[in-house]
Amino acid sequence: MSTDAFRALPGNGSPLRVLVVGAGAMGRAWLRAVESSPDVELAGVVDLDPLVARAAADGAGAPGVPAGADLAVLVHDTAPDAVVNVTVPAAHLPVTLGALGLGLPVLGEKPAAATLPEALCLIAAAELSGQLFMVSQSRRYHPELAAFKERARRLGALGILTTEFFKAPHFGGFRETMEHPLLLDMAIHPFDTARHLLDADPVSVYCQEYNPSWSWYAGDAATTAVFEMTGGTRYLYNGSWCSPGLETSWNGAWRVSGARGSARWNGDDPPETEETAETAEEGTADAVGDRGGAAPVASWGEGIEGSLAEFTHALRTGTVPMGEIHDNVLSLAMVASAVLSARTDRRVRVDDVLATAHAEALGLAGGEVRDVLASWTSAAGGA
Ligand SMILES: NC(=O)c1ccc[n+]([C@@H]2O[C@H](COP(=O)([O-])OP(=O)(O)OC[C@H]3O[C@@H](n4cnc5c(N)ncnc54)[C@H](O)[C@@H]3O)[C@@H](O)[C@H]2O)c1
């Protein structure tokens, strides 16, 4: 894979006009984010169901804004600057392919695509179009996560990062019937956060999945995974979606251990740190506690408002944002590798998973997208 350069849209002072595609639960949250942002303006709303699209536009306080079921028609009628793809994962490939093919940059909900081969096709399509494709990993945009990362940076070499995630939601619907519900629908958030915290990428993983006897999910709702990250740090994820009582936050509970101490974050509140200070005379280590304090505020704002702000800034300036697809695909590769490890009960290397996905992507893609995929010397080369 080659560069992550993309075509910028230097501003003339007017807001970026975005077409929101997918008007379900999360689509309506995005419409609120668009409405409250000074950087963007709603150009139109698309959904498979045109009545849903119309109702969402009206509900977002934009009754005059065009709405309909056909992306190409709405692009033609509204001439947007960018597309926000908030469809279901299975539709991420066709919608993002369609938007890139129409010459538009895309901000997509996680995951980049339903599968790793599909995500590789989207990288190739972004390269072909010269447009930005950024995946919104909204949990990166949290002021206390920024503070936790800052604390971790002060701990010297980092050896161990852990997440504990224990919740007991009764969603109903697809999550209770699908395979790998926790890994596929939720774990990409902490996996992506781990890469962000460590500034490291996954090398290999060993993962077990299981379903506690009382689980109300058909698929395995509990997972334990050990990732080796670049630099040798281990990232341990221990999670369950069927653990009532003493639940963690939705961000999970985090702990990082480094050469000079440890830090932890409950996923909501300011992180705490205990650093060791070598006492020169005695050669012993004293514990120096530090609970909370001045947290650096994340510069983009919180959640999807933050990723929308970074997306518009990236387009205006040409600065590569967090979540740019060449980088983001490695978070999806962590999920795919963990699923394969759990299925085969062995440690798997992420490069091998990417190479297999690349071969499968060549079988999926056609035309010039396939030509771009075929030109890559290695599936992991540009990721
Ligand atoms: N970042 C987060 O914390 C977070 C939270 C929830 C959901 N999500 C993500 O947001 C996305 C949407 O989730 P949701 O809960 O809103 O789903 P949803 O099922 O409520 O809504 C999806 C909408 O997309 C529409 N749609 C499907 N295929 C389409 C197509 N080809 N063209 C146009 N519209 C299409 C459907 O008609 C539906 O209205 C998913 O990728 C999900 O993983 C992220």
Side-chain angles (χ1 to χ4, degrees):
M1 285 181 242
S2 65
T3 124
D4 45 18
F6 56 88
R7 197 163 300 133
L9 289 173
N12 56 4
S14 47
L16 200 78
R17 302 183 66 255
V18 298
L19 191 62
V20 173
V21 186
M26 204 60 197
R28 289 192 294 277
W30 276 98
L31 286 168
R32 287 192 293 276
V34 167
E35 194 197 4
S36 65
S37 165
D39 305 325
V40 295
E41 180 180 286
L42 186 64
V45 181
V46 179
D47 196 280
L48 278 184
D49 183 338
L51 296 178
V52 167
R54 180 72 272 151
D58 293 351
V65 160
D70 190 314
L71 174 66
V73 169
L74 264 283
V75 167
H76 176 268
D77 291 352
T78 66
D81 297 311
V83 162
V84 180
N85 182 356
V86 203
T87 58
V88 292
H92 287 186
L93 178 74
V95 169
T96 297
L97 264 185
L100 292 170
L102 291 167
L104 293 169
V106 178
L107 174 59
E109 254 300 345
K110 63 82 192 165
T115 68
L116 195 54
E118 290 184 3
L120 296 182
C121 291
L122 290 178
I123 295 179
E127 291 182 3
L128 184 67
S129 67
Q131 299 295 338
L132 172 63
F133 174 31
M134 169 179 164
V135 178
S136 169
Q137 295 285 171
S138 55
R139 282 160 203 268
R140 284 197 183 200
Y141 302 86
H142 192 299
E144 299 307 345
L145 175 66
F148 185 50
K149 183 170 179 171
E150 184 55 35
R151 300 299 167 92
R153 203 173 276 142
R154 301 200 316 230
L155 300 175
L158 300 178
I160 309 160
L161 176 68
T162 65
T163 311
E164 290 204 330
F165 177 85
F166 291 96
K167 301 292 286 181
H170 285 263
F171 295 109
F174 71 95
R175 292 182 183 88
E176 291 189 10
T177 55
M178 69 188 281
E179 278 190 288
H180 318 289
L182 183 66
L183 270 177
L184 290 184
D185 197 60
M186 187 66 208
I188 194 161
H189 286 302
F191 292 0
D192 178 75
T193 300
R195 292 182 53 233
H196 174 57
L197 280 170
L198 295 171
D199 287 319
D201 288 322
V203 174
S204 67
V205 61
Y206 178 65
C207 177
Q208 286 197 355
E209 274 190 303
Y210 52 101
N211 214 12
S213 60
W214 64 87
S215 170
W216 50 95
Y217 295 80
D220 288 342
T223 299
T224 300
V226 183
F227 289 91
E228 179 187 342
M229 306 296 285
T230 46
T233 309
R234 293 305 192 271
Y235 169 54
L236 281 70
Y237 173 82
N238 199 16
S240 162
W241 246 352
C242 57
S243 290
L246 299 177
E247 292 186 25
T248 62
S249 69
W250 274 98
N251 287 318
W254 293 77
R255 180 187 174 101
V256 63
S257 291
R260 292 202 293 271
S262 297
R264 62 186 174 197
W265 179 46
N266 67 11
D268 284 333
D269 304 317
E272 50 186 323
T273 317
E274 195 168 276
E275 294 176 44
T276 59
E278 286 294 325
T279 308
E281 301 84 26
E282 300 167 12
T284 58
D286 295 334
V288 180
D290 179 1
R291 286 171 181 265
V297 176
S299 54
W300 300 114
E302 208 168 324
I304 58 176
E305 283 83 4
S307 54
L308 184 60
E310 189 173 6
F311 178 68
T312 54
H313 179 264
L315 283 176
R316 291 307 191 201
T317 62
T319 311
V320 178
M322 290 195 294
E324 195 280 333
I325 185 60
H326 290 81
D327 181 76
N328 178 266
V329 76
L330 290 176
S331 298
L332 187 58
M334 288 175 82
V335 174
S337 301
V339 168
L340 179 66
S341 172
R343 271 191 184 136
T344 57
D345 193 22
R346 64 181 173 85
R347 182 174 176 174
V348 304
R349 294 186 58 78
V350 175
D351 276 355
D352 294 342
V353 172
L354 280 164
T356 304
H358 185 208
E360 287 177 24
L362 284 166
L364 280 179
E368 291 176 294
V369 171
R370 190 183 187 287
D371 295 342
V372 173
L373 282 164
S375 73
W376 295 348
T377 49
S378 123

